[in-house]
Amino acid sequence: QVQLVESGGGLVQAGGSLRLSCAASGRTFSSWVMGWFRQAPGKEREFIVAISRSGGSTYHADSVKGRFTISRDNAKNTMYLQMNSLKPEDTAVYYCAADLKTSYVSNSYRNYDYWGQGTQVTVSS
């Protein structure tokens, strides 16, 4: 049984920062590729960034390159998303996701098997 729980969302002014966490249950967290997605009202789910099993490889969407940083602590079964220089267009529900099958980072939501419940991030202008 895999459970993912996001936390750290909230309201922040443009230019501010937030750090999201994704706590995972399961004994084999270190063997999962992990990713962050987001969905704004009326829009499709959007890939943000993914991280390899060891954390040595990441893949960012162009929209967040240079502003968002993904990391993971396999000893704590936790993944993080550091978000800096936030913009109003970053407002969305943010989801973490786990890929238990493949070994490569992917931007396709179809690759991910488990999803968290989401955490709201609101950036005011």
Side-chain angles (χ1 to χ4, degrees), residues 46-122:
E46 175 190 13
F47 167 79
I48 303 173
V49 62
I51 189 166
S52 64
R53 296 165 171 175
S54 67
S57 178
T58 61
Y59 176 25
H60 291 74
D62 288 342
S63 59
V64 303
K65 269 182 187 175
R67 299 190 300 124
F68 290 11
T69 302
I70 190 172
S71 62
R72 66 191 296 164
D73 185 338
N74 286 341
K76 295 183 178 180
N77 279 19
T78 304
M79 175 178 66
Y80 305 97
L81 182 64
Q82 178 65 45
M83 305 186 294
N84 299 329
S85 302
L86 283 162
K87 306 174 182 179
E89 51 264 44
D90 293 318
T91 295
V93 177
Y94 283 68
Y95 298 91
C96 66
D99 174 2
L100 274 61
K101 298 186 298 292
T102 65
S103 60
Y104 54 89
V105 292
S106 171
N107 63 352
S108 173
Y109 73 89
R110 294 182 180 85
N111 276 33
Y112 293 86
D113 307 293
Y114 291 92
W115 296 79
Q117 82 290 347
T119 185
Q120 176 70 46
V121 171
T122 303

